[in-house]
Each structure stands twice: as structure tokens, then as C-alpha cells.
Amino acid sequence: MLQNGLIDVFVRSHMDDALLSAAYRDASPDTRAVSRGYVEGYNRYLRDHASKLPAECNGQPWVRPMTEAEYLRLQELTMIQLGVGLFADAIVGASPPAEGEPDATTPTAAEATAALAPFHLREPLLGSNGWAFGSEVTANGRGVLLGNPHFPWSGVNRFWEMHLTIPGRLDVMGAAIGHSPVVQIGFNHDVTWTHTVSTGLRFTLFELTLVAGDPHSYVVDGQPVPMTPQRVTYEVTDAQGAVQTREHTVWKTRFGPVVEVPQAGLGWTTTHAYALKDANTANLRAMDIWLGFNRDRNVGEMRETLAKLGVPWVNTMAADRDGHVMYADVSVVPDVDAAQLQRCAPSKAAAALLQAASLAVLDGSRSDCDWHRDPQSPVPGLTPIERMPVAIRSDWVQNSNDSFWVSNPAIDWPAFSPLVGGIDEPQSLRTRSGLYEIQQRVAGTDGIAPHAKVGIAEVQAMLFSNRNHAAYVVLDDLLPVCRDATTEAGRAGCAVLAAWDRRNNLDSRGEHLFREWWRAAERIEGVWRRPFDPADPVNTPAGLDTGKPAVRAAVLKALDDAVATVRAAGFALDAPLGEVQTYALPGGTVGLHGGPEFEGVLNKVETADRGPLAAGGYQIDFGSSYIQTVTFDDRGP
């Protein structure tokens, strides 16, 4: 099926206008008002600029006024993009086994993990840095905040800056993705906040036990339940330009649509199938949350706003003018605790996917394995704020897309559901880089300024120091080894890395060589000299275990390969990063500083495919997309 056809089938099968309309009626009057204003503003723009649209849009039948129902569908697409939206092709492609078709063999754990890698469950493409500093550590005794989302630079997920005012009622500035009528990351007179993509899970799969001889029915509490076939029609244009209507069937269950990823062991066989239940379906509460943030006056009020359970898939860091800061992962998470995961475990292979790929699968043959409905929760089936991580402090909090666990290492968190996030797990190099920078700054040992206080200038300097954390963790162990390399490539590469400043600045020479070496070296089995220690998550794992002959040989081979990759791409080994890493503009390309996730560069930039260096260099598609550093004085922010 063509990609556009797949998207059409998924969107038409998922969108439930009646369900969205009911959720919309439950939204606050102000949320409904700003939504109507967005629709009317869009339609007014079309009326006023009908003759001035870009050539590819002028006169096209799909350029037409927006309805309120279409607007709600736009909101829905934002909510589900890290849930059911990830599995669009697995939903459209799910089909019952043909008669006589043998069941697929069960993949190994490694094969299943690899098959789920394209879904980015463990490492979402979207990411961010969020830091909030309180009165104990700030120069002015007020809150200071960094908001730094890393999002695409094209499409509807771009951030757009806005300043919204209603005299006497609303005065807020910040940014939001393209179709939001309210500020999603920003500041008002008294508070400032930002978000980072959370590790919490937004959905679970349910393993369905099928009725013998009927792959279209499944068993719940011993009783057969038929699946519902949803026949979706869509249009395609053939090679001659004629429009043809086609039909496709999507299968639905009481939990949600059937999904099929056979390579991960999630196939539709004669005995089992899998259905996906997304907690963010029809989540129009998010707009109420952000509108509340737009008007809140301190982090305590923001905590009350969060309790409505509408934030879809992000952490929240906030600071206020009184010097209080907050970290909260009060996002939409199914209410399934560790005991239920054990009690409702599916087949052994499916249960293993939680540890291997952050995919939770529950036994769908028992109704008591559905999500818990806590009367304390304002949304039945979602984990209430009382069982989510929230900390209000006066020193600092941070997040760079790892779990709540080390948002501040001084916090002694209680136990939370594994679906909220993990503890005692290695942190990303970017998280570790942020923790290193913050701890050095608070201690006054970072060299930025002699005092140990934090202000806007210090925060900006920390973010844009472009320190390559991976290099500081491993390069001192590589250089003594590679200086004695037996190959010309190894010796040449070693000389370049020895002279490199270990930064990702525009004029940093040789960074791309390190990137290609580290891309392979980080995957070498047993590469770390100091393995991960849960008691020291900021500083471990670290070092290269070059005392082991196999590791020593592997890191030197990775350097030879990196040199070959750089030369084949047509770049000098010591080329400045600004020549290698660029962004294309109509008038030419511009060099970009910053670096990718796996190098631990806070100023994150990425290519869409995350692939190795090739001719043309690293063509950046997304990264730092809105950056705010905010504090307060007597007049405001």
C-alpha cells in the first residue's frame, strides 16, 4: 500500500468524531473558546489570502475552510503520536492468518528487540533539555529556567513562537507546535515552564487468546467476543491521474485495534493476536492543562493543574518568581502497577518485551487484567498524581529524557509503577552531561564564573559550551592505545583526535571522525572499564577497557573504519564541524554546531536517519527548535 494510502486508512479508522465531540464538551469553556478562535482565524486567513497562497496550494481542492471536527482531529494526532500513532502501519497491516497458514516461529529476544527498534520505544526521536533552578542556587533568589525542546524543523511538529494577551485575563509568551491555540512551553508574569519527552508508557498491548477455529474472535473470562471489522474507504490517484476508490479492513477489539509485528513475536496466528489500548485517545484535557499553565501564578498552582491528567507524553519542569522549582512526570500513564504486570503476564516471549523494548503486554483473556480504575483518579484507568513523581524544591531539578530517577540525585523517590519509568538504570550521555554541568556550576567549579550562583548567562553558557561528554568519558583511554596503532589510518586518526578540542563548535576540527568512531565503539561488547553503578549514575559507565585484548583490537578497528568512512565521504579528517554538519536553505547551506544524542551533546541536533557520514555531510533535520532562558524581576519575566 502506498504511504499516503496507509496514512489515510489509519487516520480514517482511528478518528471517532463522536468520541472527540464528547471529550470536547467536557473541556472548559475557555478551551472551547480558544479552539473556536483558532478555527475561525484559520478560515479568515484563507478568505483574506486566497489569491496569495503558494503555487502548490493555489486552487487545490484540499485547501478549504477548517471545521471544528477537523480541528479536534488535529489535536488527536498530537496526542497519539507516541502511542497508537507509532503503530499505524502495524494496525493497517494486521490481517488474520490464511486457512492452513502455519504459525510463525517465535523470534529470539534479540530479534524481537531489533524488530521493535524502528518504533523508537526506548529512544524517541523527539527529545529535550529542561532545567529549573531555585532560590538556593540562583543569583537573584528567584527561579531560573532553561527550556530547550529538540523537535523537527519542518512539518506540524515545528514550534511557533507566540504572545497571547487578553487584558486583565491572560498575558503569556512562549511557543507551541503548529496547531495549538495556547502556549505549551513558555512563561507569564510569575511562572515559567518547559517539557521533555517522558519515559512513561502511554499504552499497553493485550495478548488475545483466540477462539479455536475462529481467528476473528477472542476469549474474555471464558466467553467468546467477536472482533469488529471496520471497513475503510480511501482514494488513490493512478498513473494516469484518475482517482480510484479502494477499501481496507481494520480489526477492532474491546481494547483497541489489532496490531501485528510478526518479527517481534506479535503476529496474528491461529491461537493469539494482539490489541493496543492507548491512554491518550480522545485526550482533549491537554489544552486545559496548558491554558492553566498560561495563567498559573506559582508552581503549587501548576501542580494542581497537572492533577487533571492531561499532559500527554512529557515531563514538566517549572520555576516561579519566589524561587521554587518543580519536576513532575504527571503525564498520561495507564494505571498498571508492578503486581499487575506479574499477575497478568502474557506468554513468556511477550512478557519479555517490557524489559527488552519498553513494551508492556497484558493477558487479554481476563477482564481483571485491564487497567485499574482508581476512584482517586479523575480519569478512570489513568495513574493519579498521588502515584506519580512530583518534587517541589528550592535548589534544582532537570530532565533530558531519562526517567524521573535522577531528576535531582538528592531526591529519594518512593516506588512507582514500571510504566511510569525505571530506576537503577544507566542514564543517557546527554542526561549525564547536563548533570555534570549543573553540579559543576552549583559547586562553582565549571570555570564559567568564580561564584557558584546561577543566572541566565550561566545557563546559556552551559547549554552552548557544546561539550562532547562521550569524548570526556572515553578519549583519554583511546589516545594512548591508538598512538601505537599498526595502521596508517589508525595513526592519522589518532593525531586528529588528540588535537581535537572535544567540543562540537563550528570550528572544532575532527569531531566528525570521533562521531564515526564512537558510533561503532560504544557497541563493542565489554567496552566499559568502569561498568554502570546505580550508586553513581552520573559518572558511570566510563572509560575503555583496553586492557582486554579483544576490546583493544575492536576499538582500533573502529578507528580504522571511521577514518575510511570520513575519507570515502570526501572530507578531511580534521575538517571543521561547520563544513561537515549543515542545514540546507534556499540560498545555500549553513554550518551548525551541536551534536547527536549518542555523543552526549546538550545542544542536540540530529539527521532523520541517524546514519553514518556520507557525501554531503550530516544534513540536519531537527534539534534545538525553541530555546528560552527565563528568570524574574520586579516587573515580570
Side-chain angles (χ1 to χ4, degrees):
M1 182 180 292
L2 295 175
Q3 184 67 20
N4 285 350
L6 184 153
I7 294 170
D8 284 349
V9 170
F10 170 73
V11 171
R12 294 184 185 196
S13 68
H14 176 81
M15 293 301 169
D16 185 334
D17 287 342
L19 182 65
L20 290 172
S21 181
Y24 188 54
R25 289 193 297 271
D26 289 337
S28 69
D30 283 350
T31 285
R32 296 197 299 271
V34 295
S35 301
R36 289 193 302 272
Y38 185 99
V39 173
E40 292 176 15
Y42 176 89
N43 294 340
R44 168 71 180 271
Y45 186 89
L46 285 185
R47 289 196 304 271
D48 291 351
H49 297 82
S51 62
K52 303 175 185 176
L53 297 177
E56 63 268 26
C57 302
N58 259 335
Q60 295 297 325
W62 44 266
V63 180
R64 58 178 185 255
M66 182 190 297
T67 66
E68 210 163 80
E70 288 168 333
Y71 173 76
L72 297 181
R73 294 174 199 162
L74 280 176
Q75 300 303 316
E76 177 75 346
L77 285 173
T78 298
M79 297 300 105
I80 64 170
Q81 63 179 299
L82 295 187
V84 68
L86 290 173
F87 288 81
D89 55 350
I91 291 168
V92 176
S95 60
E99 187 173 350
E101 177 183 348
D103 290 346
T105 58
T106 302
T108 66
E111 290 170 338
T113 302
L116 290 168
F119 295 92
H120 298 289
L121 301 174
R122 270 281 166 84
E123 188 178 308
L125 289 173
L126 306 178
S128 308
N129 301 309
W131 304 340
F133 300 92
S135 58
E136 288 184 28
V137 299
T138 58
N140 60 6
R142 303 182 189 271
V144 173
L145 180 127
L146 164 73
N148 175 212
H150 310 127
F151 266 58
W153 292 349
S154 62
V156 296
N157 267 344
R158 272 183 294 178
F159 274 92
W160 298 86
E161 195 169 5
M162 63 178 79
H163 184 185
L164 307 178
T165 58
I166 302 175
R169 296 186 61 191
L170 182 69
D171 188 0
V172 60
M173 189 171 181
I177 57 176
H179 45 261
S180 172
V182 295
V183 172
Q184 294 172 329
I185 291 177
F187 51 90
N188 61 28
H189 185 270
D190 300 304
V191 301
T192 177
W193 74 97
T194 192
H195 296 299
T196 60
V197 175
S198 153
T199 60
L201 305 188
R202 316 300 157 194
F203 62 92
T204 64
L205 295 187
F206 287 86
E207 186 175 71
L208 308 178
T209 300
L210 302 181
V211 173
D214 181 6
H216 303 101
S217 298
Y218 55 101
V219 177
V220 179
D221 296 337
Q223 299 300 311
V225 181
M227 296 180 185
T228 302
Q230 183 184 15
R231 293 178 175 85
V232 179
T233 59
Y234 63 103
E235 296 77 35
V236 297
T237 304
D238 63 20
Q240 288 71 42
V243 176
Q244 298 180 349
T245 299
R246 297 182 182 177
E247 184 178 274
H248 188 84
T249 300
V250 173
W251 293 89
K252 300 290 185 71
T253 73
R254 65 185 286 175
F255 304 108
V258 177
V259 302
E260 191 171 15
V261 189
Q263 301 87 342
L266 303 172
W268 191 341
T269 70
T270 57
T271 58
H272 291 94
Y274 296 87
L276 188 152
K277 184 174 180 179
D278 189 343
N280 272 310
T281 296
N283 174 17
L284 297 183
R285 303 176 306 279
M287 212 180 313
D288 271 345
I289 301 293
W290 282 312
L291 192 55
F293 284 177
N294 289 188
R295 297 184 292 202
D296 284 338
R297 295 167 296 180
N298 54 62
V299 296
E301 289 186 2
M302 299 183 82
R303 185 191 185 282
E304 294 177 11
T305 298
L306 282 169
K308 300 173 186 176
L309 300 185
V311 172
W313 29 260
V314 289
N315 303 286
T316 302
M317 273 66 58
D320 63 29
R321 65 167 42 257
D322 295 324
H324 301 112
V325 297
M326 177 178 68
Y327 165 82
D329 186 0
V330 184
S331 52
V332 169
V333 174
D335 194 353
V336 178
D337 61 17
Q340 184 175 346
L341 285 170
Q342 185 173 10
R343 176 175 58 83
C344 294
S347 60
K348 185 177 180 180
L353 294 176
L354 179 61
Q355 182 68 29
S358 296
L359 185 61
V361 187
L362 300 170
D363 182 356
S365 68
R366 297 161 46 192
S367 59
D368 67 341
C369 287
D370 205 345
W371 301 348
H372 180 57
R373 299 171 70 89
D374 186 343
Q376 195 172 23
S377 176
V379 185
L382 299 190
T383 307
I385 191 172
E386 289 78 12
R387 290 190 278 114
M388 297 287 281
V390 182
I392 294 178
R393 304 174 63 85
S394 56
D395 52 359
W396 57 271
V397 293
Q398 66 78 40
N399 186 269
S400 289
N401 307 118
D402 278 306
S403 79
F404 61 89
W405 178 43
V406 290
S407 50
N408 182 318
I411 300 174
D412 184 15
W413 293 106
F416 297 110
S417 162
L419 270 62
V420 173
I423 62 170
D424 294 342
E425 295 177 348
Q427 303 296 287
S428 75
L429 283 169
R430 182 160 56 87
T431 292
R432 291 171 59 187
S433 181
L435 287 165
Y436 174 87
E437 294 280 3
I438 290 169
Q439 291 176 335
Q440 292 286 305
R441 170 88 299 268
V442 170
T445 56
D446 58 2
I448 293 175
H451 57 78
K453 295 294 184 179
V454 179
I456 282 181
E458 288 76 22
V459 169
Q460 292 174 357
M462 291 156 66
L463 176 65
F464 288 117
S465 68
N466 282 323
R467 183 178 182 277
N468 189 303
H469 199 68
Y472 279 86
V473 168
V474 300
L475 202 53
D476 286 342
D477 286 337
L478 173 65
L479 294 178
V481 172
C482 68
R483 287 191 181 103
D484 298 324
T486 59
T487 64
E488 178 277 333
R491 292 190 298 273
C494 194
V496 169
L497 294 180
W500 172 44
D501 63 5
R502 306 188 188 189
R503 305 274 168 172
N504 285 54
N505 294 322
L506 287 173
D507 58 356
S508 294
R509 292 183 174 273
E511 193 287 327
H512 56 302
L513 175 63
F514 175 82
R515 186 179 306 184
E516 294 310 312
W517 171 77
W518 182 237
R519 189 189 304 277
E522 70 163 343
R523 295 183 172 88
I524 295 171
E525 185 175 355
V527 70
W528 296 111
R529 176 167 46 82
R530 294 175 57 206
F532 170 67
D533 180 359
D536 189 13
V538 180
N539 299 305
T540 61
L544 301 174
D545 198 357
T546 55
K548 292 179 180 175
V551 172
R552 184 186 185 96
V555 298
L556 289 174
K557 181 181 184 304
L559 183 57
D560 284 351
D561 293 344
V563 169
T565 296
V566 171
R567 287 172 171 170
F571 292 96
L573 298 182
D574 64 347
L577 182 60
E579 291 182 5
V580 184
Q581 181 169 274
T582 60
Y583 182 66
L585 292 168
T589 60
V590 293
L592 293 179
H593 54 111
E597 178 77 27
F598 72 92
E599 290 187 295
V601 183
L602 289 168
N603 179 25
K604 173 178 171 174
V605 293
E606 297 275 7
T607 59
D609 63 2
R610 293 187 171 183
L613 183 66
Y618 304 116
Q619 296 293 320
I620 298 303
D621 301 287
F622 65 97
S624 290
S625 43
Y626 169 73
I627 305 169
Q628 64 176 24
T629 49
V630 185
T631 190
F632 302 90
D633 61 21
D634 291 339
R635 296 174 301 163

